[in-house]
Amino acid sequence: MKKEIKIDGMHCEHCAASVEKALSSLEGVKKVKVKLQKGIAKLDGEVSDEAIRSAVAEAGFTVTGIE
């Protein structure tokens, strides 16, 4: 399953790397690509929206939408 996650609060490459690391650590995630300029992350894998929101929040950012 592919998901696009809108994330608020990313301002630099370090922020993007933190989000990518947090999402990649979730069980069921196959691939993550963070696009800093667009404020999104693209995720491929079987993971719940709640797990995504929690991982991003623990990294210090806010999920504003998941499609």
Side-chain angles (χ1 to χ4, degrees):
M1 173 178 285
K2 295 182 187 242
K3 296 185 180 193
E4 183 175 290
I5 304 133
K6 295 178 184 172
I7 301 167
D8 189 36
M10 294 190 300
H11 301 291
C12 64
E13 289 298 327
H14 179 72
C15 295
S18 295
V19 169
E20 189 165 333
K21 182 178 178 182
L23 292 174
S24 294
S25 70
L26 292 174
E27 187 174 329
V29 173
K30 297 176 185 174
K31 185 177 176 183
V32 175
K33 177 68 177 169
V34 176
K35 296 186 177 193
L36 176 63
Q37 302 299 347
K38 293 186 176 185
I40 63 169
K42 294 194 176 205
L43 183 144
D44 188 8
E46 293 294 325
V47 62
S48 72
D49 290 356
E50 196 55 42
I52 291 169
R53 288 181 191 278
S54 179
V56 171
E58 285 180 27
F61 305 94
T62 305
V63 172
T64 59
I66 300 175
E67 296 176 14

